[in-house]
Amino acid sequence: MAIDAAGRRGRHLAGLRNAIILIVLWELLGQLKLVAGGALPAPSAVLIRFWQDRGDYPLHLLATFEGAALGFFIGNVVAIAAGILFAVSPVAARLGRGLNVAIFALPPIAISPILVLTFSGMTPRIALAALGCYFVTMSATVTGITQTDRRMLDVVRAYGGGWVALLRLVEIRSALPAILSGLRVAAPAAVLGSVLAEFGGGGRYGLGVYLIGSLGRADPPRLWGIGLAATGMALLVYALFALIEARITHTTRAVTVAATPPGTPLAIGGFAGAALTLISAALPFAVWWGFLKMLGTPPMIAKTPLGVIDYLFFAQSAETAQLRLLSALAQTLPLTLLGMTAGLAFAFALALASVVRPGIVRSFMPVALVTQTMPLVALTPLLVLLLGRGPSVILWITVSVTFFPAFVTLAQGLGMVSRSALDVVRAYGANPFIQLRLVSIPASLPYLFAAMRLAVPRALLGVMIAEWLATGTGLGNLLNQSRGYLDYGMIWTVAVVSVLISILFYQIVIVVERRVLQRRGMQPAS
Amino acid sequence: MRMTLNRRHFIGLMGAAAAMPLVARRAEAATPFNFQASWINDAEFTGYFVAADKGYYKEAGLDLNYMSGGPDVIPESTIIAGKADLTLTTPDTTITAIVEQGAPFKIIGAQYQKNPIGIVSLAKKPIREPKDLIGKTLAVPPVNVVSVEAMLKISGIDRSKVNIVPYAYDPTPLIKGEIDASLDFTTNVPFTIKQAGEEAISFLLYDFGFKIFNDTVVVTEETLKTKRKEIVAFLKASRKGWEENLKDPTAYPKQFADTWYKGTGRSIENEIYFNTAQKPLIESSKGIFSMSEEAIAANIESLAAAGIKAKRDHFDTTVLEEV
């Protein structure tokens, strides 16, 4: 025990040391104007600016906190409830799949103006924050529940427990670590969602509003101050859930390995299966339609599914619209695939490193979080100065928006690996690399696929953001230009097409996943 | 949960406190007149702030609800969605929407007789006229690309000789030399560039043949029918506010530091610079907001070069006659 405590203290010290090295390095780079001719400000410059601006911050912080906190709360409550429903009822899971993926694949930059138009006040901020949280937490909940140790379920069943008892006594408890890690990822998403909606919402207060006013001032320390304020908010929530998770994981992890494979999901084939798939695919369209009808948004702005089809195929301008769309896709798609691969590779390397060299990864985490909550608009000048306006800036931005959720999922998978399985190889003297190869990586395969599915729509979003801010090409530019020209048909078309592409990739991942996992007798971590 | 509620409560109270004068004003008139501005609160809208603070709208019998804009607020959309009664737009987007989508808009006035957008560059690498752009990189907000292309066409410059990249409202890449020039409000950016220790040089697209208005006052045909009286009252009070403001452009921005301009992230010196620079672009011998027949004709001709088929019919000058 004493050794353990000393080791932990040593790790903390190492983490602190790394953080200090990082900050000193950053200060030097900033002071000497080594990065992009001074476009990267030194931390001291950011702090000084922050102090000078301190009178401005409270109202902006409060407004963003309100939007993010309410969105975080609403989005996650819905997500956990939905996750439990999908885990308990395979039929519901099949029905909801289309809607879930569609929600996840919605590009925030496309729906933000639509939300701002249809709602007023705080609602767009809350909605965007909630949408940012939903998928991550929902899928974490399902993962957690489906990965429950079968033997515990059998015990409750043997004593006559029904699904309620199973849920209450076993499944929710064993899912807690996964849910908590979902909440952890959701925190930055909520903050960013609120800031993004503020950016377009035209309100008076909020960090997003402050950012717009500051953009034109060519004042990088101010922009970094605003970004870091958003990061600080996300970091607090992230740390809170990480702390709770660390406490709880120890009490829920299995001490022995289950000998039986987890049960296979209810297979619904034939006519009923086809019907389910069909309804699942139709549901997002029905919700889309119903939503617009309910809100009564004028048809010129709010395009229904039929409106989009009409715009793309039958309207007078259909031919030019198709041409513009296709040439944009030709620019966007190859980079999306490349960016997704790079983002996943980075996340995987980082997750492996977190097992072998946890100290380094821990001190990298603040940097990683900054990339998640720093509004990219604030970083654009720095990025274009460093990377230019070609494919490389697109790839960097894509990797930065893709890797984080994938990393958390993978690291969690690696962290959940059964200790006793590890003990076996350890007893034979395996070093950390061999432990990874023989036990951890194979055991966390379901999480690798889950991470892949998370990466799909985010990669597309990353490419679109980069195209919008830096290169002026592809779908991102098309979206932005259509927005300026009130070409609502094209705005909706781009949103729908990007969702459809994401779903297509997503389905491909699922097919591969099913093949691989079935061969290994594993459950997908949905 | 409890903490969230407390916070909400707190924010609610603060909001209520801030809205007090507004509520009091609203109690007098039945329905507020919603005005959607085209950008965040900066000097571009000082005339309206003056009119609001001096009570000109109230005198005209109007209960004005001022809505701030921002980069993602599409002003025209807010009047279609019924969230606003009147808004400020750029004529190119408004007329494109009328022509291509049958949007029921009418342009009834123009805040800027001359569009303030222009090409801004650094004095040490000056771009003084369109032909200097050949072989250079120019950052343009995607929505303005058509305007720039029209200006190039009017000046007889091959579009493919200019490298156009997106502009995201931050002049840093220009100051650092990553781009050679950017398209922005010439009333605003040169100040920022000077603050950053560089000298800026700029020219208006207007002065090189692309003669359009900006911040055109736009309403829907429906609103023009049902709220004509209010619209006339709005123009009258706003004109008075602008006249008052432009008497001494340095006077009012200071007074609004803790109200209209609070927390926008911009400095008051910047607003004074802006307010002074925009004076000659707004003033008109026939009164602020006026649209002369020659000016309308110039708009139609310029937009035609951008491939936008504007017609005289899209402009309605009869409302101004009643002001």
Side-chain angles (χ1 to χ4, degrees):
Chain A
M1 279 323 260
I3 297 167
D4 207 33
R8 204 179 306 153
R9 200 164 52 233
R11 278 207 306 277
H12 279 250
L13 281 177
L16 195 67
R17 185 198 61 206
N18 293 344
I20 291 172
I21 293 175
L22 211 68
I23 289 175
V24 170
L25 198 69
W26 178 10
E27 180 71 35
L28 278 176
L29 289 176
Q31 288 291 348
L32 301 175
K33 297 183 189 288
L34 290 179
V35 179
L40 175 73
S44 59
V46 176
L47 278 179
I48 291 168
R49 187 78 229 182
F50 190 83
W51 181 249
Q52 287 165 345
D53 296 336
R54 67 191 181 280
D56 289 344
Y57 274 98
L59 282 172
H60 294 307
L61 279 171
L62 264 178
T64 298
F65 182 80
E66 193 195 1
L70 281 172
F72 184 77
F73 180 75
I74 295 171
N76 285 319
V77 166
V78 174
I80 292 173
I84 292 174
L85 175 72
F86 295 146
V88 170
S89 157
V91 176
R94 284 281 292 272
L95 280 179
R97 192 190 289 155
L99 198 58
N100 284 334
V101 185
I103 289 178
F104 184 54
L106 281 177
I109 50 172
I111 56 164
S112 158
I114 293 170
L115 286 172
V116 168
L117 271 178
T118 27
F119 301 106
S120 53
M122 291 297 285
T123 319
R125 305 177 182 191
I126 297 169
L128 212 58
L131 282 171
C133 298
Y134 172 80
F135 190 86
V136 182
T137 307
M138 186 278 300
S139 41
T141 310
V142 177
T143 307
I145 291 180
T146 46
Q147 295 291 305
T148 305
D149 192 329
R150 295 278 122 189
R151 294 166 301 168
M152 294 199 225
L153 294 175
D154 289 342
V155 172
V156 177
R157 275 205 201 95
Y159 283 95
W163 66 270
V164 178
L166 285 175
L167 206 58
R168 191 166 62 84
L169 294 173
V170 184
E171 287 171 330
I172 292 199
R173 285 179 198 202
S174 86
L176 256 184
I179 294 177
L180 287 168
S181 88
L183 293 179
R184 212 153 39 120
V185 187
V191 175
L192 203 58
S194 180
V195 171
L196 202 68
E198 286 159 18
F199 200 75
R204 275 289 270 127
Y205 294 106
L207 292 174
V209 182
Y210 195 35
L211 186 62
I212 305 163
S214 305
L215 269 180
R217 290 177 48 92
D219 185 357
R222 161 82 66 77
L223 300 184
W224 278 81
I226 298 171
L228 291 177
T231 307
M233 199 184 286
L235 197 68
L236 278 178
V237 188
Y238 183 94
L240 179 73
F241 286 103
L243 200 74
I244 301 174
E245 190 189 346
R247 292 264 160 112
I248 284 179
T249 311
H250 290 296
T251 63
T252 49
R253 196 185 291 167
V255 284
T256 57
V257 184
T260 50
T264 44
L266 181 65
I268 307 166
F271 181 71
L276 276 180
T277 310
L278 210 66
I279 298 175
S280 159
L283 208 56
F285 294 98
V287 170
W288 166 11
W289 199 318
F291 204 58
L292 292 183
K293 289 282 158 247
M294 199 179 73
L295 289 168
T297 321
M300 195 183 138
I301 298 177
K303 298 281 183 233
T304 58
L306 279 183
V308 170
I309 292 172
D310 179 59
Y311 174 82
L312 210 49
F313 295 104
F314 302 108
Q316 224 174 17
S317 58
E319 211 163 307
T320 25
Q322 283 177 22
L323 211 68
R324 282 160 68 211
L325 183 66
L326 287 178
S327 70
L329 280 174
Q331 289 174 320
T332 301
L333 282 184
L335 283 165
T336 305
L337 281 174
L338 209 61
M340 181 168 71
T341 316
L344 275 172
F346 183 56
F348 195 60
L350 204 62
L352 291 184
S354 77
V355 176
V356 185
R357 289 272 181 279
I360 293 176
V361 175
R362 248 205 309 277
S363 37
F364 174 72
M365 281 326 281
V367 183
L369 261 174
V370 171
T371 64
Q372 298 313 293
T373 43
M374 235 357 219
L376 279 166
V377 205
L379 291 182
T380 310
L382 179 66
L383 290 171
V384 296
L385 283 165
L386 284 178
L387 306 164
R389 294 176 189 265
S392 72
V393 72
I394 297 186
L395 283 180
W396 273 92
I397 291 182
T398 309
V399 168
S400 88
V401 304
T402 312
F403 85 93
F404 189 70
F407 162 70
V408 174
T409 310
L410 285 168
Q412 191 228 345
L414 290 173
M416 292 296 287
V417 170
S418 145
R419 282 174 181 182
S420 40
L422 282 173
D423 284 342
V424 174
V425 285
R426 268 191 209 131
Y428 283 97
N431 64 34
F433 290 100
I434 297 181
Q435 287 171 30
L436 274 178
R437 189 166 60 82
L438 291 179
V439 180
S440 303
I441 293 176
S444 57
L445 263 183
Y447 291 87
L448 177 63
F449 283 109
M452 243 185 221
R453 281 182 272 141
L454 282 177
V456 168
R458 293 198 65 102
L460 185 60
L461 175 66
V463 173
M464 282 171 69
I465 291 177
E467 288 172 337
W468 161 47
L469 290 174
T471 64
T473 53
L475 275 187
N477 192 57
L478 183 60
L479 182 65
N480 203 17
Q481 211 153 22
S482 323
R483 222 162 45 173
Y485 276 98
L486 310 174
D487 192 348
Y488 301 102
M490 189 52 96
I491 298 177
W492 285 89
T493 303
V494 171
V496 172
V497 167
S498 61
V499 170
L500 290 178
I501 291 170
S502 296
I503 292 176
L504 180 73
F505 281 141
Y506 190 94
Q507 288 301 334
I508 293 173
V509 174
I510 286 197
V511 170
V512 177
E513 174 180 22
R514 213 171 279 160
R515 292 245 168 113
V516 172
L517 293 189
Q518 242 163 28
R519 223 173 24 210
R520 291 174 167 267
M522 287 170 129
Q523 275 273 32
S526 61
Chain B
M1 186 54 212
R2 165 161 296 171
M3 182 169 144
T4 319
L5 275 178
N6 284 343
R7 290 269 185 162
R8 274 202 81 194
H9 201 72
F10 178 55
I11 293 166
L13 279 177
M14 288 200 333
M20 279 297 263
L22 216 80
V23 173
R25 219 178 297 153
R26 265 188 205 174
E28 288 163 27
T31 50
F33 186 77
N34 296 312
F35 167 43
Q36 173 69 60
S38 51
W39 194 250
I40 59 166
N41 292 3
D42 63 13
E44 191 177 343
F45 311 102
T46 317
Y48 309 104
F49 301 154
V50 172
D53 280 14
K54 292 246 167 193
Y56 298 164
Y57 293 114
K58 215 171 136 192
E59 279 167 26
L62 210 60
D63 173 21
L64 186 83
N65 176 30
Y66 182 91
M67 297 150 78
S68 306
D72 285 351
V73 174
I74 310 168
E76 289 96 335
S77 300
T78 59
I79 58 171
I80 302 177
K83 284 177 74 174
D85 297 306
L86 182 146
T87 190
L88 300 175
T89 71
T90 48
D92 42 344
T93 59
T94 304
I95 291 173
T96 306
I98 299 176
V99 175
E100 292 189 0
Q101 314 215 31
F105 298 140
K106 279 278 184 258
I107 297 175
I108 57 165
Q111 176 179 321
Y112 289 112
Q113 299 297 317
K114 288 184 174 184
N115 190 349
I117 64 169
I119 308 288
V120 183
S121 57
L122 299 184
K124 63 182 181 192
K125 270 170 74 186
I127 288 173
R128 293 197 172 84
E129 52 183 324
K131 74 171 170 41
D132 293 346
L133 283 167
I134 294 171
K136 296 286 165 49
T137 299
L138 171 67
V140 182
V143 60
N144 295 116
V145 170
V146 178
S147 300
V148 171
E149 287 175 348
M151 183 268 293
L152 292 174
K153 193 167 150 195
I154 293 166
S155 308
I157 292 163
D158 185 357
R159 158 71 177 83
S160 63
K161 297 254 169 67
V162 182
N163 179 25
I164 295 181
V165 296
Y167 179 52
Y169 307 105
D170 186 335
T172 305
L174 176 63
I175 295 166
K176 301 284 179 210
E178 193 258 336
I179 52 173
D180 301 301
S182 64
L183 184 89
D184 206 323
F185 267 48
T186 54
T187 46
N188 189 28
V189 191
F191 175 83
T192 313
I193 293 174
K194 203 166 186 168
Q195 293 294 97
E198 289 285 349
E199 209 55 51
I201 197 162
S202 65
F203 65 83
L204 293 174
L205 299 192
Y206 189 96
D207 293 336
F208 287 87
F210 192 66
K211 296 179 193 279
I212 64 168
F213 298 136
N214 202 350
D215 275 344
T216 31
V217 184
V218 172
V219 292
T220 60
E221 286 166 357
E222 172 75 19
T223 313
L224 192 55
K225 261 186 234 142
T226 55
K227 294 193 174 173
R228 195 172 178 103
K229 195 165 70 71
E230 286 91 334
I231 294 169
V232 172
F234 171 84
L235 287 174
K236 199 179 225 166
S238 301
R239 178 179 278 179
K240 203 169 154 192
W242 272 113
E243 282 165 354
E244 173 65 23
N245 170 46
L246 292 180
K247 263 190 219 157
D248 176 7
T250 61
Y252 283 99
K254 280 175 255 171
Q255 295 181 26
F256 299 149
D258 284 318
T259 53
W260 294 101
Y261 297 140
K262 185 177 167 53
T264 56
R266 296 162 52 85
S267 70
I268 294 304
E269 295 73 50
N270 194 347
E271 307 305 357
I272 291 174
Y273 178 93
F274 192 152
N275 205 22
T276 311
Q278 71 184 350
K279 188 176 171 178
L281 307 179
I282 293 178
E283 281 181 335
S284 158
S285 58
K286 297 196 181 74
I288 286 160
F289 295 120
S290 66
M291 301 188 293
S292 69
E293 288 304 326
E294 305 83 67
I296 292 175
N299 267 273
I300 294 173
E301 200 185 319
S302 301
L303 290 172
I308 300 167
K309 298 181 189 75
K311 287 198 293 230
R312 174 63 182 83
D313 185 37
H314 299 150
F315 301 83
D316 184 338
T317 49
T318 60
V319 190
L320 277 168
E321 284 160 15
E322 293 170 35
V323 172

